[in-house]
Amino acid sequence: EPEVTQTPSHQVTQMGQEVILRCVPISNHLYFYWYRQILGQKVEFLVSFYNNEISEKSEIFDDQFSVERPDGSNFTLKIRSTKLEDSAMYFCASSPTRGSPRYTFGSGTRLTVV
Amino acid sequence: GQQLNQSPQSMFIQEGEDVSMNCTSSSIFNTWLWYKQDPGEGPVLLIALYKAGELTSNGRLTAQFGITRKDSFLNISASIPSDVGIYFCAGLTTNYGGATNKLIFGTGTLLAVQP
């Protein structure tokens, strides 16, 4: 079964530092997403990405956040200057077609900002 | 904004029991999904519902999409210990003429199964 791979599984960073979370989506998928889940809370949409540009972003995805697909396989989320409230699980997901509900989620990166 | 509320928040049951959980929305969704999340893992899709009133099964799981498209239930029959986890409903929204979509997740139901 194809998987979405995320690295690292856990990252601890100091407040104010930049972090890059990495994802390798399923190879023939065209739509990519980042979601986050603060501990004990629901999963929240951050951003969707298609054809090398952002399709939609939420209010959470402010100027401190950016996404990039630097090559044909990786999809990254950068947080420029981390805040304590950025501590959460960050999930990457991909889907094969625009309207498909069949997202495949990665196992997540647990980001802890201290 | 769009909100999905799930009930109950948590359930503690004995192995072999049947389980039912609900999800209600403040707005209409055209596609409704149920996910399971194991500890330390990402959500895994269990069932997708596309039509109002649709009843769909996946093994011991059965889900129905409400007629109004604003609610759904998920039933698990004959629960087993590996059913433990958090169950999320999610509505799929499409925007900008279908150019993009995203999932709006519910608040989750924690299921614990006693062997």
Side-chain angles (χ1 to χ4, degrees):
Chain A
E1 180 102 20
E3 290 184 343
V4 173
T5 306
Q6 290 187 242
T7 55
S9 58
H10 192 183
Q11 175 136 14
V12 181
T13 189
Q14 289 205 325
M15 193 167 54
Q17 294 294 305
E18 174 183 286
V19 295
I20 297 176
L21 310 183
R22 302 181 192 279
C23 170
V24 179
I26 292 175
S27 61
N28 62 348
H29 283 190
L30 301 176
Y31 295 83
F32 313 115
Y33 312 86
W34 284 99
Y35 286 76
R36 81 168 186 191
Q37 184 179 33
I38 294 172
L39 186 63
Q41 298 187 21
K42 64 182 180 181
V43 180
E44 300 175 290
F45 170 78
L46 289 180
V47 66
S48 58
F49 190 88
Y50 168 70
N51 201 25
N52 283 321
E53 61 183 20
I54 290 174
S55 304
E56 185 177 358
K57 57 185 180 180
S58 71
E59 310 87 57
I60 303 168
F61 195 91
D62 61 21
D63 292 344
Q64 294 300 311
F65 290 85
S66 62
V67 289
E68 195 177 36
R69 188 156 162 82
D71 53 42
S73 60
N74 290 288
F75 180 49
T76 61
L77 174 69
K78 182 193 293 186
I79 308 175
R80 209 177 333 272
S81 177
T82 51
K83 305 186 284 286
L84 294 177
E85 54 265 37
D86 293 328
S87 296
M89 282 287 284
Y90 287 81
F91 293 107
C92 174
S94 67
S95 68
T97 59
R98 185 164 61 198
S100 172
R102 299 200 172 270
Y103 287 38
T104 301
F105 283 87
S107 297
T109 293
R110 178 170 296 285
L111 176 66
T112 303
V113 182
V114 297
Chain B
Q2 295 165 310
Q3 290 192 16
L4 278 73
N5 293 307
Q6 290 184 241
S7 62
Q9 277 190 313
S10 59
M11 305 179 75
F12 299 88
I13 63 170
Q14 294 285 326
E15 183 177 359
E17 287 185 22
D18 296 343
V19 168
S20 184
M21 57 190 79
N22 295 300
C23 184
T24 58
S25 168
S26 58
S27 51
I28 292 171
F29 289 98
N30 288 324
T31 302
W32 200 290
L33 307 125
W34 283 95
Y35 285 88
K36 180 184 180 223
Q37 185 179 28
D38 291 328
E41 297 292 327
V44 174
L45 180 64
L46 299 174
I47 290 180
L49 300 162
Y50 302 98
K51 298 178 185 176
E54 178 181 353
L55 183 71
T56 297
S57 293
N58 178 9
R60 293 179 296 106
L61 277 60
T62 302
Q64 183 157 31
F65 202 172
I67 293 292
T68 63
R69 293 183 174 273
K70 295 174 78 172
D71 63 293
S72 175
F73 70 75
L74 175 71
N75 289 342
I76 305 173
S77 62
S79 57
I80 59 179
S82 60
D83 290 334
V84 164
I86 302 177
Y87 290 79
F88 288 101
C89 61
L92 183 74
T93 70
T94 56
N95 296 313
Y96 309 121
T100 181
N101 66 58
K102 66 185 178 191
L103 294 171
I104 306 296
F105 280 84
T107 49
T109 293
L110 172 66
L111 178 64
V113 180
Q114 177 82 21

